[in-house]
Amino acid sequence: MKTDMTVDDLLKQQGAWLAPGEDSGIVVSSRARLARNLKESAFPGWAGEEECERILAEILPAVEACAALQPCFVLNMSALDPLDKQILFERHLVSREHAERGRGSALVARRDETIAIMVNEEDHLRLQAIRPGLGVREAWQVIDAVDSEIEKTIRYAFSPKLGYLTACPTNVGTGLRASVMVHVPGLVLMNEINPIIKGVSKIGLAVRGLWGEGTEAIGNMFQISNQISLGEKEERIVGSIEQIVLEIVEHEKNARERLMEKKGSVVRDHVGRAYGILSHAHILSSKEALDLLSGLRLGLDLGILKAKNRQAVDALLLTTQPGHLQKTQGRKLRTRDRDLARAQRVRQQLVRAGVGMVEEKKKE
Amino acid sequence: MKTDMTVDDLLKQQGAWLAPGEDSGIVVSSRARLARNLKESAFPGWAGEEECERILAEILPAVEACAALQPCFVLNMSALDPLDKQILFERHLVSREHAERGRGSALVARRDETIAIMVNEEDHLRLQAIRPGLGVREAWQVIDAVDSEIEKTIRYAFSPKLGYLTACPTNVGTGLRASVMVHVPGLVLMNEINPIIKGVSKIGLAVRGLWGEGTEAIGNMFQISNQISLGEKEERIVGSIEQIVLEIVEHEKNARERLMEKKGSVVRDHVGRAYGILSHAHILSSKEALDLLSGLRLGLDLGILKAKNRQAVDALLLTTQPGHLQKTQGRKLRTRDRDLARAQRVRQQLVRAGVGMVEEKKKE
């Protein structure tokens, strides 16, 4: 069942990756995506706009009919303005590359944003499921079911020797990229993140920033994902990510314990400054906001800060992003005006969410 | 009338330079000091300890008897431990150099700290009067009267051609150094302080940091003083300092107006961050505290912040200094422990002084 949904409607809900989940203080969200292509059709990068439109027309009915996707909505990239596309990107529904596309490219997604399918990005189909917290196995199971359903009507480009064929050789095989976003301020504050990143890279996994490939790690958030999709079973890819993330969670918990034990003042200072600045600044860049929100979330996890509404705090990770800010203000803003609007939103939201220092409460 | 007074007693009062005075938001305090030496006695740097003790014994009765100094107290530098000396230095009662002296050197001061006389610093006598706000003329009149009274019994080293003779040639002549401490965050935020410093230097005045010669300007506080004491009448020296300070006050007021008009968000951000960090940090260095307190005081001056007790805020300029912190804690503290104690004191004092954002109050 296809429903009408605009980008404006999306702003009224929280975004699938921000809901609270298991270990959600440390594991923010999990994602599994499959790259698929139609048999005997040129990859989107080679096909012209018309060919892409033909492919989209062929794919769309099969995707829209998919049971797991219901209720779903479809957005044609050609019908969206740059701000709408930015919103979709910030919500992790489309990639930066897909946001730049127009005619012949579309997004089909479940209304609750837990499943998002890009048609004619780098591949004809990029199927993605997202879960809050550590749910990479669940995410894979969900997207695997969607894939199987689509495969009933669509003939994929598949080689018995190599597996699924994709535009970029790194995706050939399973076409699977499983990734988990972790928030590890403890490891960063203890200066222990670099050995972990090195260790993760050594076993063939990648560590990236908040928005995946080529993005910087800000707000102490890192994305762990598989590098290789060829020659390994999906089960094993998902299993190794799961295992390494569980290990990172243990390391982070351990780092937080040691921080509180041995560097209590350093943590309280870090958290206090983050809260003090976020509550009173009038100019906040996107990067500074994310970095300080990391301190705030750490404070909430450790009980240094309290919040009546923790979700309203986490929502700031999304609503302080440039696209979301501008959409809510109803107009395009220059960088400086965004920094002002962002600071104002953060100040108001922290009051609304009832955030405060725990120790200060004790003294009253 | 000599009274008993210990360094501990000093801590119970505010310090002469911190009282509220005219334009005290911008002009913190004014000082006039005279350098004097006994006729036919070696300068302290040449005299041995015994000679210094003899000179002190000769000087002390004349100084103690001085009417303007009453009630006064005497502290022998040899009887003070390093922490006591640090307190006197932080209260601007003795110089760094005098604090390092022992036998034969003393401080004679009015109980209210408005007059302080160092015996056997670089010169036999350094007579100083201090006033809150812009009171350099008054300070000079006070110290001139003290000087005249002492001169009735003590024979000063004086040359009819050069004037008063001093250990360092830069003080020969009037022996007068008049100085005014200004707090000019507006000029600093508008990037207009450097031309002012250059201009002041060109007309023969010096611009220095918070603790005079060789100290860095922190907390946006600068000391304006005369460089030359030879060949100019005291009246003229005082007059030119007064005039230049009035000009700086005008420039600062003007800078603040333009800041509020054209860079309102920058000021609110600067003030908000200062307040946010001071209220919530758990580790504060001395320099950071002074820099942030500058932002806080600017906020109070501009009505961005309010305080039930402004003097309690200003007192932090003194009580967050290393010596004062350690004296109040009753023990020597390592740098890190001072930073913890300083942050705690600031947090508590801001609550006690009833400091808060004005805009936040409006919203409630």
Side-chain angles (χ1 to χ4, degrees):
Chain A
M1 181 192 62
K2 186 180 148 189
T3 65
D4 279 332
M5 182 138 184
T6 64
V7 173
D8 291 74
D9 294 330
L10 285 175
L11 293 186
K12 293 169 199 153
Q13 59 193 40
Q14 187 163 24
W17 59 283
L18 274 173
E22 200 188 329
D23 268 328
S24 61
I26 298 172
V27 185
V28 181
S29 62
S30 303
R31 219 149 40 112
R33 75 107 170 100
L34 297 171
R36 297 288 184 262
N37 289 280
L38 304 201
K39 200 168 177 176
E40 286 157 14
S41 291
F43 291 132
W46 289 92
E49 279 188 351
E50 281 181 25
E51 173 72 352
C52 279
E53 288 199 322
R54 190 198 59 72
I55 293 164
L56 174 60
E58 186 184 338
I59 287 175
L60 214 49
V63 172
E64 280 180 7
C66 199
L69 261 169
Q70 305 317 318
C72 75
F73 63 96
V74 178
L75 294 172
N76 285 299
M77 298 316 281
S78 60
L80 301 176
D81 63 26
L83 191 51
D84 285 335
K85 291 174 167 187
Q86 173 74 13
I87 300 278
L88 298 180
F89 170 72
E90 289 171 3
R91 297 180 86 85
H92 294 276
L93 292 171
V94 304
S95 63
R96 179 66 81 195
E97 189 179 337
H98 200 58
E100 278 161 19
R101 295 191 174 258
R103 273 179 64 193
S105 290
L107 164 73
V108 188
R110 227 178 108 105
R111 271 193 88 103
D112 66 5
E113 301 174 58
T114 55
I115 303 173
I117 296 173
M118 291 185 277
V119 183
N120 288 328
E121 196 237 27
E122 186 183 283
D123 296 298
H124 295 142
L125 279 166
R126 285 282 178 107
L127 318 167
Q128 165 190 288
I130 196 162
R131 313 288 307 184
L134 182 50
V136 67
R137 183 170 299 272
E138 255 180 296
W140 174 65
Q141 286 161 348
V142 166
I143 211 62
D144 185 45
V146 170
D147 181 48
S148 302
E149 212 178 326
I150 294 173
E151 208 167 5
K152 282 178 196 159
T153 40
I154 299 272
R155 284 201 307 157
Y156 285 151
F158 182 83
S159 141
K161 195 178 158 197
L162 294 169
Y164 293 99
L165 301 177
T166 55
C168 177
T170 57
N171 294 313
V172 167
T174 58
L176 170 66
R177 175 159 291 164
S179 66
V180 176
M181 181 122 67
V182 293
H183 177 234
V184 289
L187 290 168
V188 173
L189 279 172
M190 290 295 278
N191 278 319
E192 290 169 8
I193 189 66
N194 285 333
I196 302 243
I197 291 179
K198 267 190 194 163
V200 170
S201 308
K202 263 188 193 161
I203 57 166
L205 299 178
V207 184
R208 298 191 171 94
L210 188 48
W211 271 278
E213 210 160 336
T215 66
E216 203 193 343
I218 48 176
N220 299 318
M221 295 218 261
F222 297 86
Q223 222 181 69
I224 319 288
S225 62
N226 60 311
Q227 297 259 41
I228 296 157
S229 61
L230 181 70
E232 277 205 280
K233 292 235 168 201
E234 288 88 342
E235 273 284 353
R236 238 191 110 165
I237 293 173
V238 168
S240 71
I241 298 262
E242 224 172 19
Q243 192 197 328
I244 203 76
V245 168
L246 285 171
E247 278 173 35
I248 290 174
V249 168
E250 279 318 297
H251 282 301
E252 172 66 15
K253 282 183 178 169
N254 187 275
R256 290 179 181 194
E257 262 172 42
R258 279 176 295 132
L259 264 178
M260 284 305 274
E261 259 175 52
K262 293 177 191 166
K263 296 187 172 186
S265 318
V266 173
V267 188
R268 279 175 199 286
D269 188 60
H270 179 82
V271 169
R273 282 168 186 259
Y275 173 60
I277 295 172
L278 288 172
S279 314
H280 296 100
H282 281 251
I283 299 168
L284 271 181
S285 74
S286 184
K287 179 181 178 337
E288 190 186 11
L290 284 173
D291 283 338
L292 295 173
L293 285 170
S294 165
L296 205 71
R297 297 178 77 228
L298 178 66
L300 290 166
D301 288 350
L302 295 176
I304 297 170
L305 289 171
K306 59 187 168 51
K308 285 184 190 129
N309 183 352
R310 163 77 190 246
Q311 278 204 48
V313 178
D314 288 344
L316 284 169
L317 292 175
L318 195 54
T319 56
T320 56
Q321 293 308 307
H324 279 74
L325 265 183
Q326 293 177 85
K327 196 79 184 178
T328 341
Q329 299 272 318
R331 64 199 171 93
K332 199 163 159 45
L333 299 172
R334 283 174 311 173
T335 308
R336 181 47 171 266
D337 293 326
R338 287 206 299 271
D339 291 351
L340 294 173
R342 181 178 295 113
Q344 190 183 27
R345 161 159 299 201
V346 170
R347 290 199 312 276
Q348 290 172 346
Q349 190 80 347
L350 293 189
V351 173
R352 275 190 213 132
V355 179
M357 302 295 295
V358 166
E359 44 171 7
E360 286 184 352
K361 202 69 192 170
K362 273 183 196 157
K363 273 177 209 148
E364 278 167 22
Chain B
M1 181 192 62
K2 185 180 147 187
T3 64
D4 280 331
M5 183 138 181
T6 63
V7 173
D8 291 76
D9 294 330
L10 286 175
L11 293 186
K12 293 169 199 153
Q13 61 192 38
Q14 187 164 24
W17 60 283
L18 275 173
E22 199 187 330
D23 267 329
S24 61
I26 298 172
V27 185
V28 181
S29 62
S30 302
R31 220 148 39 113
R33 75 106 171 103
L34 298 171
R36 297 289 184 261
N37 288 280
L38 304 202
K39 200 170 178 176
E40 287 157 12
S41 292
F43 290 132
W46 289 91
E49 279 189 351
E50 281 181 24
E51 174 73 352
C52 278
E53 286 199 323
R54 191 199 56 72
I55 293 164
L56 174 60
E58 187 184 337
I59 288 175
L60 213 49
V63 172
E64 280 180 7
C66 199
L69 261 169
Q70 305 317 318
C72 76
F73 62 97
V74 179
L75 294 172
N76 285 299
M77 298 316 280
S78 59
L80 301 175
D81 63 26
L83 191 52
D84 285 335
K85 291 174 166 187
Q86 173 74 14
I87 301 278
L88 298 179
F89 169 73
E90 289 171 2
R91 298 180 86 85
H92 292 277
L93 292 171
V94 304
S95 63
R96 180 66 81 195
E97 189 178 338
H98 201 58
E100 278 162 19
R101 293 192 176 259
R103 274 180 63 195
S105 290
L107 164 72
V108 188
R110 228 178 108 105
R111 271 192 88 103
D112 66 4
E113 302 174 56
T114 55
I115 303 173
I117 296 173
M118 290 185 276
V119 183
N120 289 327
E121 195 238 25
E122 187 182 281
D123 296 298
H124 295 140
L125 279 166
R126 287 281 178 105
L127 318 165
Q128 165 190 287
I130 196 162
R131 314 288 306 183
L134 183 50
V136 66
R137 183 171 299 274
E138 257 180 294
W140 173 65
Q141 285 161 349
V142 166
I143 211 59
D144 185 43
V146 170
D147 181 48
S148 304
E149 215 179 324
I150 294 173
E151 207 167 6
K152 283 179 194 160
T153 41
I154 299 272
R155 285 200 305 157
Y156 285 152
F158 182 83
S159 141
K161 195 178 157 196
L162 293 170
Y164 293 99
L165 301 178
T166 56
C168 177
T170 56
N171 294 314
V172 166
T174 59
L176 171 66
R177 175 160 292 162
S179 66
V180 176
M181 182 122 69
V182 293
H183 176 233
V184 287
L187 290 168
V188 173
L189 280 172
M190 289 295 277
N191 279 320
E192 289 169 8
I193 189 66
N194 285 332
I196 302 244
I197 291 180
K198 267 191 194 163
V200 170
S201 308
K202 265 190 192 158
I203 56 165
L205 300 177
V207 184
R208 298 192 170 95
L210 189 47
W211 271 276
E213 210 161 335
T215 65
E216 203 194 344
I218 49 177
N220 300 318
M221 296 220 260
F222 297 86
Q223 222 181 69
I224 319 289
S225 62
N226 60 311
Q227 298 259 40
I228 295 156
S229 60
L230 182 68
E232 278 205 279
K233 291 235 172 203
E234 288 89 342
E235 274 285 353
R236 239 192 110 164
I237 293 173
V238 168
S240 71
I241 298 263
E242 224 172 17
Q243 192 198 327
I244 203 77
V245 168
L246 285 172
E247 279 173 34
I248 291 175
V249 168
E250 279 317 298
H251 282 302
E252 171 66 16
K253 282 182 177 168
N254 186 276
R256 290 179 181 195
E257 261 171 42
R258 278 177 293 133
L259 264 177
M260 285 304 275
E261 260 175 54
K262 292 177 193 167
K263 296 187 172 187
S265 318
V266 173
V267 187
R268 281 176 197 284
D269 187 61
H270 178 81
V271 169
R273 282 168 186 259
Y275 173 62
I277 295 172
L278 287 171
S279 314
H280 296 100
H282 280 251
I283 299 169
L284 270 181
S285 73
S286 184
K287 180 183 178 334
E288 190 185 11
L290 285 173
D291 283 338
L292 294 173
L293 285 170
S294 165
L296 206 70
R297 298 178 75 228
L298 177 65
L300 290 166
D301 289 351
L302 295 176
I304 297 170
L305 290 171
K306 60 186 168 51
K308 285 184 191 128
N309 183 353
R310 164 77 189 246
Q311 279 204 47
V313 178
D314 288 345
L316 284 169
L317 291 176
L318 196 53
T319 56
T320 55
Q321 293 308 306
H324 278 76
L325 265 183
Q326 293 176 86
K327 195 80 183 173
T328 341
Q329 299 272 319
R331 65 199 169 92
K332 199 163 159 45
L333 299 172
R334 284 173 309 173
T335 309
R336 181 47 171 267
D337 293 327
R338 287 207 299 273
D339 291 351
L340 293 173
R342 182 178 294 112
Q344 191 182 26
R345 161 159 299 201
V346 170
R347 291 198 311 276
Q348 290 171 346
Q349 191 78 349
L350 293 189
V351 173
R352 275 191 213 132
V355 179
M357 302 295 297
V358 166
E359 44 169 9
E360 287 185 352
K361 202 69 191 168
K362 272 185 198 156
K363 274 178 208 146
E364 279 166 22

